[in-house]
Amino acid sequence: MRCALTSLSGHIRSFLACERGNIIAMFAAAAIPLTLAAGIGIDAAKAYSVKVRLGAALDAAALAVGSSNPAQFTTAQLQQRMNNFFYANFPANSPIGMPQPPTMTVDPTNNHLLNFKVTATVDTVFMRMVGINTLTVSVANQVTRGITGLELALVLDNTGSMLCGDGSGCSTPSHISALITDANAIIDTLIAASADPTRLKIAIVPYVTTVNIGSACGNTATQGSPCVPLPYKDIYGNLIMDLNNNNITFDPTQTENTPEWRGCVIEPTSTPPNPPNNTTEDAGNSGPDFSEPTGGWTQPWTAFYWKPNTNQNGYNVWDLTNNSSTKIQYLHIDGNVGTSWNNSRGPNNGCPTPLVRLTNDKTALHNSINGLKAWAAGGTQIHIGMIWGWRVLSPNPPFSDGTAYNTPNWVKAVVLETDGQNEIPDQHHLTGLSFLADGKFGSKTIGSTSNPAAGTAMYNVNQRLQKVCANMKAAANKIVIYTIGLGSGANTTTQTGQTLLNCASDPSKFYAAPTAASLQTAFQAIANSLANLYLSK
């Protein structure tokens, strides 16, 4: 019996051994295509990774070329710039792929379009089993040299000190002449960079102590406007009368013999005036002179108009006689700034040239810039310039010219230029917030810009500038702010420089321009920054 069992066991082991050999052979045959398929997937994933890196490198190269001013580079230099940026991000000796030199061509139908393409070879590992030693991957993109969509407000200082130059004693050439040249240049740069002129709009907002909105808001001598309705009244609701006891009318020509209203306004604020002891108006930092009310600014403004014989201290006394000490003299400064300041008087003293609403009319923009003047008297109210910079960009009243906030592929931006800090000359000067005694500054004491404990008018005005800048930059509005401090005192070690630095969207968007030459550099740098590019494919 034992012998029989032993014999049977041997036969079974022999059979199993034979069957196991068949299974191994069958598995080996099936493993070849499985291994190849897995290997192809690995090689394909490697090729895809190379393609992604290749695309990122080409994007960087394309944007570097597109952001270059073509007037400053030859085609060969642009090609070299493209290679430098591409190979910095994808080395020629990369172990994961061998790139060919990238190519750049200008679209034959539109020289604003630049086409870029690059290929690379990727060595395979598993595909070699079927005779495929390399894979070729390629990427292409197209850069549009131009503006994705830009609405820009140039908020420009037109105060009397802009007559001065870089030296002492108001030397020439004046800063206002440099401003005219440089503001014209930024307009030309942006228009030249724009592939689609309909997607670029620029507004001009000159400011002194107030802003001139007369023509821009549709004022007429007989019909008034929604901004300043007829008949023109002061902040207390009293009719504004001329020397002949007639209601004043709108007259933008501002000749000496027609003492009418020129178009500048006094800002509305959050609470009605309450003479004679009002010192709390807008103290809560919620007024419409530094924030946008729901639905926009729909409340009327008050006409900025210095009445004759406003006070008995020799300030702004005027009439229509030939007496040079009292005759209206409120045009721009033509000569010595000190003499002009002392002799300036009249109903529109300190009222600058009118603002220009958003437009792509190059001629209208240049005409506005070329008409800028340095205006004597009235002080400096930077935050009033800024709030009108916001208003011209807003999709809401009073103008409603801007696109909706945060519209995709549109940018809203402001360039604020000033050669000084906020200023209230004295209690006798009419300002964009009326006279100091009217309480619209939240204080009837001028004081200092840097002393919060005093709660003075100057400190409150400086805080308003910070508030309006913060509100413009807020996510709901997302307005990009560039600031330029012109003159030796506009650096980060001064109160003025710190204020402008804080107002800018980020530190890189603040420019200290101690001289007229550096003002040109600042404007050009901002123009290049604004002339942004976008990948259209």
Side-chain angles (χ1 to χ4, degrees):
M1 179 64 68
R2 184 183 298 274
C3 291
L5 290 175
T6 301
S7 177
L8 178 59
S9 176
H11 285 298
I12 292 172
R13 283 197 298 270
S14 177
F15 173 78
L16 291 174
C18 181
E19 189 70 9
R20 188 180 296 117
N22 289 340
I23 293 172
I24 292 172
M26 292 170 61
F27 178 78
I32 293 174
L34 292 173
T35 301
L36 182 59
I40 290 174
I42 293 172
D43 284 338
K46 180 182 177 183
Y48 178 76
S49 175
V50 171
K51 184 179 179 73
V52 171
R53 286 191 57 187
L54 201 67
L58 187 65
D59 286 352
L63 290 172
V65 171
S67 63
S68 303
N69 186 343
Q72 297 176 346
F73 296 90
T74 65
T75 300
Q77 289 172 327
L78 290 176
Q79 188 84 30
Q80 184 60 52
R81 185 173 176 83
M82 175 187 64
N83 289 339
N84 292 343
F85 274 82
F86 175 80
Y87 288 117
N89 290 278
F90 200 113
N93 58 352
S94 173
I96 64 170
M98 183 67 67
Q100 299 296 316
T103 62
M104 175 188 69
T105 59
V106 179
D107 191 283
T109 62
N110 185 346
N111 61 11
H112 286 284
L113 300 181
L114 304 177
N115 298 300
F116 298 85
K117 185 176 181 180
V118 68
T119 62
T121 56
V122 183
D123 292 333
T124 64
V125 176
F126 296 94
M127 288 185 181
R128 292 176 179 272
M129 299 170 60
V130 292
I132 301 175
N133 296 327
T134 61
L135 293 175
T136 300
V137 295
S138 64
V139 293
N141 64 31
Q142 184 182 77
V143 169
T144 303
R145 185 186 295 274
I147 304 301
T148 62
L150 173 64
E151 295 172 343
L152 172 66
L154 298 177
V155 179
L156 306 177
D157 189 339
N158 279 200
T159 56
S161 56
M162 288 291 291
L163 179 71
C164 302
D166 293 341
S168 60
C170 284
S171 59
T172 57
S174 68
H175 283 163
I176 195 72
S177 62
L179 177 65
I180 290 171
T181 299
D182 299 334
N184 275 324
I186 196 173
I187 291 169
D188 288 338
T189 297
L190 293 175
I191 290 176
S194 179
D196 182 357
T198 65
R199 296 181 67 81
L200 171 65
K201 298 178 181 179
I202 301 175
I204 312 296
V205 183
Y207 70 93
V208 180
T209 187
T210 179
V211 170
N212 188 331
I213 68 167
S215 301
C217 225
N219 278 293
T220 67
T222 57
Q223 296 178 354
S225 80
C227 296
V228 191
L230 289 172
Y232 300 128
K233 299 179 180 180
D234 64 19
I235 63 171
Y236 302 117
N238 303 312
L239 291 174
I240 301 176
M241 315 300 287
D242 64 17
L243 281 174
N244 297 317
N245 208 35
N246 296 321
N247 292 344
I248 60 169
T249 62
F250 173 58
D251 181 7
T253 61
Q254 191 181 244
T255 61
E256 290 186 344
N257 293 319
T258 55
E260 306 298 339
W261 174 59
R262 187 167 185 255
C264 285
V265 292
I266 293 174
E267 287 298 305
T269 43
S270 59
T271 59
N274 182 28
N277 299 313
N278 179 25
T279 58
T280 61
E281 187 173 6
D282 264 6
N285 291 334
S286 60
D289 60 324
F290 48 86
S291 61
E292 181 172 15
T294 301
W297 294 268
T298 56
Q299 68 276 52
W301 283 262
T302 301
F304 175 96
Y305 189 86
W306 292 33
K307 298 178 182 179
N309 299 310
T310 298
N311 63 79
Q312 301 303 314
N313 296 321
Y315 293 91
N316 196 44
V317 178
W318 59 273
D319 59 29
L320 295 179
T321 70
N322 289 321
N323 186 332
S324 61
S325 66
T326 57
K327 190 172 178 63
I328 298 169
Q329 296 180 23
Y330 49 78
L331 296 181
H332 61 88
I333 299 172
D334 290 317
N336 180 276
V337 65
T339 300
S340 296
W341 181 280
N342 292 333
N343 289 340
S344 290
R345 53 182 53 81
N348 298 282
N349 200 14
C351 177
T353 53
L355 69 79
V356 174
R357 293 165 60 169
L358 284 175
T359 181
N360 56 11
D361 185 333
K362 183 177 179 180
T363 300
L365 292 169
H366 281 314
N367 286 344
S368 173
I369 294 298
N370 291 332
L372 296 181
K373 305 292 182 182
W375 298 84
T380 306
Q381 296 289 304
I382 303 174
H383 89 280
I384 291 179
M386 280 298 280
I387 196 67
W388 281 106
W390 186 355
R391 288 165 182 161
V392 296
L393 296 177
S394 174
N396 303 311
F399 302 128
S400 305
D401 294 332
T403 59
Y405 294 118
N406 294 304
T407 298
N409 298 322
W410 277 89
V411 175
K412 293 180 185 289
V414 169
V415 177
L416 168 65
E417 172 275 331
T418 183
D419 74 336
Q421 64 184 14
N422 286 307
E423 179 190 21
I424 307 168
D426 55 52
Q427 70 269 30
H428 304 297
H429 278 73
L430 183 65
T431 74
L433 289 174
S434 194
F435 291 99
L436 186 67
D438 291 327
K440 292 172 73 65
F441 289 94
S443 171
K444 296 182 180 180
T445 302
I446 293 177
S448 166
T449 60
S450 58
N451 186 356
T456 60
M458 282 301 304
Y459 179 79
N460 292 345
V461 168
N462 234 33
Q463 291 301 298
R464 279 178 173 170
L465 177 58
Q466 298 299 313
K467 289 285 185 178
V468 68
C469 292
N471 291 336
M472 292 170 74
K473 294 182 291 187
N477 309 313
K478 206 173 183 180
I479 298 174
V480 181
I481 299 177
Y482 297 83
T483 58
I484 303 174
L486 175 59
S488 58
N491 57 67
T492 54
T493 64
T494 66
Q495 178 74 31
T496 299
Q498 280 295 319
T499 299
L500 295 175
L501 176 67
N502 294 335
C503 180
S505 289
D506 60 66
S508 71
K509 292 179 175 59
F510 163 65
Y511 294 83
T515 64
S518 54
L519 178 67
Q520 180 183 20
T521 302
F523 265 105
Q524 189 57 53
I526 293 172
N528 291 338
S529 176
L530 287 170
N532 63 312
L533 301 156
Y534 63 96
L535 291 173
S536 58
K537 287 187 179 179

